[in-house]
């Protein structure tokens, strides 16, 4: 393993504490103990729990809503009726769908009056490959990665209550993007549903609003798009503003930064009449919530009229753009920029509906090229936002690939897709130098090679003869930097070249910003070039010990130590410079595998051990006479704010009956998958069938991956052993 292992002084004194689990999660874990099948004996020592199981082909029953009926993989879900919505209470299985990532700090904040960009994701009914919480083996999944242009992400389907699949929430939050679910009613059945909770007293609509708030709070997404696409009685439509106002107020109290948006459909008379604008017929709904999402068949005269209607809340009007270009629209598909140009001209926010058009309707073999083309045409109308927290770590993984790589070592071969595993993505596109020099750098994602995950960032460009270097800005940040930071960059150059690669950064608050361990590029610039470490600090030798060395697969790691005081970190650049003495044009192809910016003190903080690993919901199937398929659920306790994910492994074998006390063999654990919660479902794991008088043995190991992105020693992993015997 090329990646360094950082040893932190973990505290064993935590014993069997629940390691920061919320009370509700602790209760669900206790429930899981009660639901274990009778007759299963559990032994425990200081290091791990041992579970005994007699193989039975009568499985534990699993709640249908939470698991795929064929595989028992955990899946995201929705509610199709008012009864389902009102009956929901938190269940142990709901834990799979709770977002690990909180909404990331960003600048400017969403509450600023800068026009925003909303992406409404509507694709083929929703809940496709993205419904598999632990990922799937999809070969050509849809992936969105232009997050820096987006402020709000809405997951849309035609189910009554659309709860965003947790992978989307984790990926969006990592980029500082707010996530909304959808509450929709349609047609005759939708009208009946609305009458049931809106035409009566306030207790009815408050019960629905309270439940929507509980769901958003529990699953850790940020609010709702309310879409009533059916006519309402006068009694029902009179209640809508009160419902919206109550929902918005309660959401703001329970979900920091929460939003409620209303879609342009019903008017105040109760008729279903899309207006394509904010006007006197629907203004009452806008006044009762956080924003208004217009229908798509507008013209510029609609925008002109809306300026007066919106007043100081222009940024709260999201002008709808159907990327499929259905109906009488200004521009869609690769002409979507025409719509955006008019929207921004009048100072409104934009709502891009179904930009997955590039995936649904065009050649999937050219998906990445088409997606990059689509967003590049919109780029000048899409202001970016900055990430403003540390640690900042990315391996540029899209959360998909044709193989899995762990710090330069191939872990598995085959297609995979796991939206929660998507890293922070950079600014994509082609960057050309000013004037007639001809220098350029183009950035794009690449699945051909990876340092960690399934993809890397490909940078390709040219340094013309008359200049010494070209640089490309990858990330916009706004981070108040601690006194000492460590930076790392993993990269490799393709083909024979002497072009040099360096990490650069810009700082703000220059009047009070004191910098050391860094070179100023010129006297008037706040852009700096850190000096690579020659000898790593003793305390961090495990982290920086391979800096400057060739790693497996041709990768190189550069590490930097920077001391600052009173500074803001604003941008990260990668600079490519010509070799000394070269006068000719230099071309280069470079892959970036990882960038880390870490508070030095955080690397020295204690890291707790994964605690209380349990094995429940066991299912056996006969694969061959000599092999069984094992499915089960692991639960453990850990303070989730300290990790970006968990890596789950196993070791297996058949041994003589040792009553659970034989130590596991020295063989390397086999990677099973990534978990973004304190639980993981193992599905159809092949294990040996035990003979009479033998115990089959499977050891499960749960490896925490800290947010700083380092490997931790196995002593800090959680573990549990399952011993299983054939029925007598």
């Amino acid at each position: 393993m090329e990646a360094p292992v950082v040893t932190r002084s973990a505290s064993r004194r935590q014993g069997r504490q629940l390691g920061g689990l919320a009370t509700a999660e602790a209760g669900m874990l206790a429930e899981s103990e009660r639901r274990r099948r009778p007759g299963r004996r559990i032994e425990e020592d200081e290091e791990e729990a041992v579970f005994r199981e007699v193989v039975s082909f009568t499985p534990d029953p699993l709640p249908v809503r939470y698991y795929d009926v064929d595989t028992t993989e955990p899946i995201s879900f929705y509610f199709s009726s008012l009864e389902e919505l009102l009956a929901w209470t938190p269940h142990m299985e709901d834990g799979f769908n709770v977002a690990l990532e909180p909404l990331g700090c960003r600048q400017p904040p969403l509450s600023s009056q800068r026009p925003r960009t909303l992406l409404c994701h509507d694709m083929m009914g929703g809940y496709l490959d993205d419904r598999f919480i632990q990922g799937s083996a999809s070969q050509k999944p849809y992936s969105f990665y232009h997050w820096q242009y987006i402020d709000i992400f809405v997951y849309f389907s035609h189910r009554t209550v659309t709860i965003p699949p947790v992978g989307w929430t984790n990926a969006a939050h990592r980029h500082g993007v707010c996530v909304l679910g959808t509450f929709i009613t349609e047609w005759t059945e939708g009208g009946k549903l609305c009458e049931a909770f809106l035409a009566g007293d306030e207790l009815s609509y408050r019960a629905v609003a309270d439940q929507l708030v509980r769901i958003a709070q529990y699953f850790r997404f940020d609010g709702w798009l309310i879409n009533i696409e059916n006519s309402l009685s006068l009694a029902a439509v009179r209640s809508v503003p009160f419902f919206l106002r109550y929902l918005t107020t309660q959401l703001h109290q329970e979900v920091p930064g929460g939003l409620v948006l209303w879609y342009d459909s019903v008017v105040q008379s109760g008729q279903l009449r899309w207006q394509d604008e904010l006007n006197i017929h629907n203004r009452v709904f806008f006044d009762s919530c956080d924003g208004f999402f217009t229908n798509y068949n507008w013209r510029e005269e609609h925008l002109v009229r809306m300026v007066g209607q919106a007043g100081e809340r222009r940024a709260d009007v999201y002008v709808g753009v159907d990327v499929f270009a259905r109906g009488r629209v200004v521009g869609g598909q690769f002409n979507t920029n025409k719509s955006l140009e008019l929207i921004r001209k009048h100072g409104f926010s934009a709502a891009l509906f179904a930009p997955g058009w590039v995936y649904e309707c065009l050649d999937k073999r050219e998906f990445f090229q088409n997606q990059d083309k689509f967003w590049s045409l919109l780029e000048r109308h899409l202001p970016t936002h900055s990430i403003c927290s540390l640690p900042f770590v990315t391996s540029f993984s899209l959360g998909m690939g044709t193989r899995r790589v762990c710090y330069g070592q191939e872990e598995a071969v085959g297609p995979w897709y796991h939206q929660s595993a998507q890293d922070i993505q950079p600014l994509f596109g082609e960057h050309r130098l000013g004037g007639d020099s001809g220098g350029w750098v183009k950035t794009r994602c690449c699945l051909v090679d990876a340092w960690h995950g399934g993809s890397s960032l490909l940078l390709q460009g040219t340094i013309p003869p008359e200049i010494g270097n070209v640089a490309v800005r990858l990330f916009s940040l706004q981070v108040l930097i601690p006194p000492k930071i460590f930076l790392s960059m993993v990269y490799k150059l393709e083909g024979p070249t002497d072009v040099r690669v360096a990490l650069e950064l810009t700082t703000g608050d220059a009047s009070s910003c004191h910098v050391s361990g860094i070179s100023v590029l010129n006297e008037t610039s706040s852009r700096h070039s850190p000096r690579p470490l020659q000898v790593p600090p003793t305390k961090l030798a495990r982290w920086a010990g391979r800096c400057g060395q060739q790693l497996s697969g041709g990768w190189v790691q550069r590490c930097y130590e920077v001391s600052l005081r009173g500074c803001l970190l604003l941008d990260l650049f990668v600079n490519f410079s010509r070799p000394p003495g070269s006068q000719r044009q230099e071309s280069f192809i470079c892959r970036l595998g990882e960038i880390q910016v870490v508070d030095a003190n955080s690397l020295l903080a204690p890291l707790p051990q994964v605690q209380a690993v349990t094995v429940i919901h066991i299912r056996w199937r006969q694969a061959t006479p000599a092999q069984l398929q094992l499915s089960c659920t692991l639960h453990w306790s850990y303070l989730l704010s300290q990790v970006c994910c968990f890596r789950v492994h196993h070791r297996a074998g058949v041994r003589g009956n040792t009553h659970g006390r034989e130590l596991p063999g020295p063989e390397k654990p086999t990677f099973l998958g990534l978990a973004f919660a304190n639980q993981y479902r193992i599905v159809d794991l092949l294990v040996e069938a035990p003979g009479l008088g033998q115990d089959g043995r499977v050891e499960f190991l749960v490896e925490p991956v800290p947010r700083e992105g380092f490997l931790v020693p196995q002593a800090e992993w959680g573990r549990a052993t399952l011993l299983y015997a054939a029925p007598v």
Side-chain angles (χ1 to χ4, degrees):
M1 181 75 64
E2 294 284 0
V5 177
V6 177
T7 303
R8 300 182 181 179
S9 54
S11 172
R12 298 277 182 168
R13 289 191 298 273
Q14 292 189 354
R16 312 312 290 175
Q17 291 178 3
L18 284 180
L21 276 176
T23 303
E25 293 175 283
M28 286 188 287
L29 188 58
E31 179 191 346
S32 75
E33 299 288 344
R34 291 193 298 271
R35 292 175 60 186
R36 190 175 288 113
R37 276 208 303 265
R40 194 173 303 158
R41 184 165 60 87
I42 305 171
E43 304 169 12
E44 251 183 287
D45 57 30
E46 287 298 314
E47 297 298 324
E48 64 182 300
V50 179
F51 299 82
R52 288 190 172 276
E53 171 81 3
V54 174
V55 173
S56 168
F57 298 106
T58 304
D60 283 351
L62 295 174
V64 174
R65 172 185 293 161
Y66 300 100
Y67 297 96
D68 182 72
V69 293
D70 297 320
T71 67
T72 76
E73 289 269 7
I75 55 173
S76 295
F77 63 91
Y78 50 85
F79 297 127
S80 297
S81 69
L82 200 60
E83 292 74 20
E84 287 183 342
L85 168 65
L86 295 173
W88 177 83
T89 56
H91 191 275
M92 180 180 64
E93 272 75 10
D94 283 309
F96 283 112
N97 214 33
V98 175
L100 172 66
E101 291 286 340
L103 179 58
C105 173
R106 52 165 284 167
Q107 287 292 337
L110 198 62
S111 58
S112 75
Q113 287 305 300
R114 185 183 79 169
R116 306 172 197 118
T117 304
L118 179 152
L119 186 156
C120 191
H121 178 65
D122 176 25
M123 180 172 286
M124 296 182 283
Y127 298 98
L128 305 174
D129 294 318
D130 55 3
R131 77 185 186 277
F132 292 102
I133 295 172
Q134 296 178 173
S136 72
S138 177
Q139 294 193 7
K140 293 185 183 298
Y142 173 72
S143 176
F144 176 74
Y145 46 87
H146 291 86
W147 290 105
Q148 302 305 330
Y149 297 135
I150 299 301
D151 300 296
I152 301 167
F153 177 89
V154 177
Y155 194 85
F156 184 90
S157 82
H158 290 275
R159 278 77 176 199
T160 303
V161 180
T162 297
I163 300 171
V166 66
W168 285 107
T169 305
N170 280 329
H173 279 184
R174 204 168 282 136
H175 293 85
V177 174
C178 176
V179 177
L180 307 185
T182 305
F183 179 79
I184 187 172
T185 63
E186 300 175 282
W187 313 107
T188 303
E189 286 304 310
K192 293 177 182 177
L193 186 152
C194 288
E195 295 301 312
F197 83 96
L198 288 172
D201 59 25
E202 68 176 19
L203 293 178
S204 297
Y205 70 71
R206 286 193 171 200
V208 171
D210 287 338
Q211 199 72 327
L212 291 176
V213 171
R214 287 190 198 104
I215 288 169
Q217 180 188 35
Y218 183 85
F219 292 110
R220 299 182 74 185
F221 61 96
D222 307 296
W224 296 97
L225 171 66
I226 306 299
N227 186 3
I228 307 297
E229 297 217 50
N230 47 258
S231 297
L232 298 175
S233 68
L234 285 177
V237 78
R238 287 192 193 107
S239 294
V240 171
F242 298 101
F243 165 65
L244 289 176
R245 198 170 293 118
Y246 179 77
L247 172 62
T248 303
T249 300
Q250 297 302 114
L251 187 77
H252 289 177
Q253 290 178 2
E254 303 297 334
V255 180
L259 288 176
V260 176
L261 305 184
W262 172 263
Y263 180 68
D264 166 21
S265 49
V266 170
V267 293
Q268 64 182 5
S269 66
Q271 293 175 288
L272 178 62
R273 288 172 51 196
W274 298 273
Q275 300 293 292
D276 303 304
E277 65 177 315
L278 174 66
N279 59 29
I280 60 172
H281 302 296
N282 51 35
R283 174 67 190 258
V284 64
F285 309 123
F286 176 59
D287 291 339
S288 303
C289 65
D290 294 307
F292 184 88
F293 183 149
T294 79
N295 194 46
Y296 312 105
N297 295 309
W298 49 268
R299 286 288 184 266
E300 187 171 10
E301 53 264 32
H302 293 87
L303 305 182
V304 172
R305 288 196 296 265
M306 281 200 298
V307 170
Q309 283 288 336
E312 295 181 354
R313 292 186 63 196
R314 241 187 284 187
D316 296 334
V317 177
Y318 300 83
V319 180
V321 179
D322 182 1
V323 175
F324 275 74
R326 293 164 287 204
R328 193 171 62 95
V329 300
V330 171
Q333 303 182 7
F334 286 128
N335 291 314
T336 299
N337 58 306
K338 295 180 179 179
S339 294
L340 266 184
E341 184 174 2
L342 288 179
I343 293 168
R344 298 307 195 207
K345 173 183 172 183
H346 294 281
F348 292 109
S349 293
L352 300 175
F353 184 78
W357 165 80
V358 297
Y359 177 85
E360 288 192 56
C361 296
L362 304 180
D363 190 339
K364 290 181 175 57
R365 293 172 298 181
E366 298 179 0
F367 165 65
F368 291 104
Q369 298 94 311
N370 288 326
Q371 172 138 284
D372 290 345
K373 175 183 176 181
F374 176 82
W375 291 98
S376 69
L377 291 169
L378 308 183
E379 181 180 358
R380 68 190 184 95
H381 305 297
L382 300 176
T384 60
H385 62 269
S386 302
I387 296 169
C388 56
S389 60
L390 292 182
F392 177 86
V393 179
T394 180
S395 297
F396 304 98
S397 177
L398 294 175
M400 60 179 289
T402 57
R403 60 187 187 127
R404 288 183 184 267
V405 181
C406 181
Y407 299 111
Q409 302 293 317
E410 188 170 83
E411 212 163 37
V413 176
W416 64 278
Y417 169 68
H418 196 164
Q419 188 72 24
S420 284
Q422 185 182 83
D423 283 327
I424 295 175
Q425 296 299 306
L427 296 166
F428 291 94
E430 187 168 343
H431 311 268
R432 293 192 173 273
L433 299 182
D436 301 323
S437 67
W440 58 276
V441 184
K442 185 174 183 177
T443 60
R444 59 184 175 90
C445 50
C446 181
L447 299 174
V448 174
D449 202 355
W451 164 251
H452 187 64
S455 55
S456 56
L457 183 68
L458 188 68
L459 298 98
Q460 186 173 0
T462 295
I463 308 172
E466 61 272 21
I467 63 172
N469 64 83
V470 296
V472 58
R473 182 174 70 124
L474 295 183
F475 296 101
S476 173
L477 308 172
Q478 194 161 331
V479 179
L480 183 60
I481 308 178
K484 183 173 288 187
I485 60 172
F486 287 89
L487 302 94
S488 168
M489 176 176 65
V490 177
Y491 71 94
K492 69 176 173 180
L493 289 162
E494 300 287 326
T497 180
D498 293 318
V499 168
R500 294 176 295 182
V501 185
L503 190 63
E504 294 179 355
L505 53 89
T506 62
T507 57
D509 288 355
S511 60
S512 60
C513 179
H514 176 77
V515 182
S516 62
I518 210 164
S519 299
V520 180
L521 297 183
N522 62 62
E523 293 299 322
T524 61
S525 174
S526 61
R527 196 159 122 209
H528 313 281
S529 179
R531 291 190 287 270
L533 289 170
Q534 301 301 316
V535 179
T538 304
K539 289 183 178 179
L540 299 177
R542 288 181 179 269
W543 172 68
R546 294 182 175 87
C547 290
Q549 298 181 18
Q550 196 83 6
L551 308 178
S552 64
W555 297 95
V556 173
Q557 185 178 19
R558 294 271 185 261
C559 303
Y560 311 86
E561 179 184 17
V562 178
S563 297
L564 307 103
R565 188 168 64 248
C567 301
L568 284 173
L569 176 60
L570 297 182
D571 300 287
L572 290 177
F573 288 78
V574 174
N575 182 283
F576 299 92
S577 58
R578 64 174 57 259
S582 168
Q583 300 296 320
R584 61 185 177 84
Q585 176 171 292
E586 297 281 352
S587 297
F588 59 86
I589 299 175
C590 177
R591 297 184 193 278
L592 279 188
E594 184 178 68
I595 287 179
Q596 294 172 294
V597 184
V598 180
D599 179 356
N601 288 332
S602 72
L603 301 177
L604 306 175
L607 191 70
Q609 183 186 18
V610 174
Q611 300 281 347
V613 182
T614 62
V615 186
I616 63 169
H617 289 332
I618 296 174
R619 182 181 79 164
W620 298 98
R621 294 200 295 193
Q622 193 81 50
T624 69
Q627 287 186 309
L628 302 173
Q629 287 179 322
L630 166 64
S631 298
C632 60
T633 301
L634 305 182
H635 281 265
W636 57 89
S637 60
Y638 200 83
L639 187 61
L640 293 176
S641 62
Q642 295 192 346
V643 292
C644 63
C645 65
F646 300 91
R647 291 165 48 81
V648 181
H649 314 260
H650 85 286
R651 284 190 283 238
V654 172
R655 312 188 180 193
N657 196 328
T658 58
H659 305 288
R661 293 303 177 189
E662 184 179 347
L663 292 175
E667 67 271 17
K668 181 181 176 182
T670 300
F671 174 74
L672 289 173
L674 297 175
F676 292 83
N678 278 335
Q679 55 196 62
Y680 184 80
R681 179 72 181 168
I682 294 161
V683 176
D684 291 341
L685 175 65
L686 282 174
V687 297
E688 294 181 57
L692 291 176
Q694 291 182 314
D695 273 342
R697 181 185 184 112
V698 185
E699 183 185 25
F700 298 111
L701 303 101
V702 180
E703 173 191 1
V705 181
R707 291 188 179 272
E708 292 82 3
F710 306 113
L711 293 173
V712 299
Q714 284 197 28
E716 313 313 328
W717 299 11
R719 60 192 69 219
T721 294
L722 175 67
L723 300 179
Y724 57 96
V728 177

